[in-house]
Amino acid sequence: MAYDYEGCTGAFCNAGWGDVLSNMSPYGWASFGIAFALGFSVVGAAWGIWTTGSSLVGAAVKAPRIRSKNLVSIIFCEATAIYGVIMAIILSGKVKPPVFPEGNEGYQFNAAEWDFNGFYYAGYGMFSAGLSVGLTNIASGVSVGIAGSSCAIADAQDPSLYVKILIVEIFASALAIFGIIVGIIQSNACTFPVFFNQN
């Protein structure tokens, strides 16, 4: 059946973005969630390390003693990438291919035999879980990076400020932990149906 939406006359024309998004494969949504969890987390970590590292190297010219203890800021930034890897592994383990009846791998099923609502629920849920973790890790990585940069510069000027600003970094790093907790809770209910309805 062909549609005519603003000059498009092919069989695969969509009425708008609503059709495009609702007709995407639930496995595609799940894969995007995995990619966003990992990709955004790495971006957040890299951004934080870039911000902290450049300030640390610059301030170490004036006060070389700060180089070792301020590496804690780099570790906090790297932790955001690790949270993304953990979430990506959890989500990847939830993606299961459908299981066809034994001996009928090329089986042509009809719509009544499959729980398509379950497929889309799992796909959307994994997408939102991955996006939640990825975005919170970007925010955490940037905030840890800025706090770590300030910590290195302040420590070079006055060593007594190190512990005070380190506490701020710890709270900034906690944002990523909040994100992964919510992401795990979101993904707990996301299970792809693998067996067709036999009744």
Side-chain angles (χ1 to χ4, degrees), residues 47-49 52 80 90 117 133 148 150 153 172 185 192-194:
W47 199 336
I49 291 171
T52 301
T80 61
I90 291 171
N117 290 332
V133 172
S150 303
I153 294 169
I185 293 170
F192 278 95
V194 292

Side-chain angles (χ1 to χ4, degrees), residues 20-198:
V20 172
L21 298 179
S22 62
N23 290 324
M24 270 182 61
S25 166
Y27 289 101
W29 284 110
S31 298
F32 275 123
I34 294 167
F36 286 153
L38 182 59
F40 285 167
S41 299
V42 170
V43 167
W47 199 336
I49 291 171
W50 169 47
T51 307
T52 301
S54 56
S55 296
L56 176 57
V57 171
V61 173
K62 178 182 182 297
R65 61 179 174 74
I66 71 167
R67 283 178 300 189
S68 298
K69 63 180 181 179
N70 276 277
L71 288 177
V72 173
S73 303
I74 303 294
I75 294 169
F76 281 148
C77 292
E78 187 62 31
T80 61
I82 293 170
Y83 297 146
V85 170
I86 291 169
M87 194 68 216
I89 291 170
I90 291 171
L91 294 178
S92 296
K94 291 179 173 291
V95 178
K96 305 289 184 190
V99 177
F100 293 97
E102 189 174 347
N104 294 291
E105 285 72 19
Y107 176 71
Q108 297 296 315
F109 55 86
N110 60 55
E113 294 176 337
W114 290 90
D115 180 14
F116 284 100
N117 290 332
F119 275 106
Y120 275 99
Y121 180 84
Y124 290 148
M126 290 178 64
F127 175 78
S128 64
L131 195 60
S132 298
V133 172
L135 292 178
T136 54
N137 281 347
I138 283 184
S140 176
V142 171
S143 61
V144 170
I146 293 171
S149 171
S150 303
C151 186
I153 294 169
D155 186 26
Q157 187 68 29
D158 183 359
S160 67
L161 296 174
Y162 175 74
V163 175
K164 297 172 184 176
I165 302 180
L166 190 64
I167 293 171
V168 176
E169 274 190 79
I170 292 169
F171 281 110
S173 182
L175 298 175
I177 297 173
F178 300 153
I180 195 168
I181 289 170
V182 170
I184 290 171
I185 293 170
Q186 283 179 301
S187 68
N188 277 343
C190 302
T191 305
F192 278 95
V194 292
F195 293 101
F196 74 112
N197 300 321
Q198 300 186 33

Side-chain angles (χ1 to χ4, degrees), residues 1-16 19:
M1 182 175 183
Y3 300 94
D4 186 7
Y5 296 120
E6 298 180 3
C8 182
T9 56
F12 301 104
C13 291
N14 294 293
D19 273 5

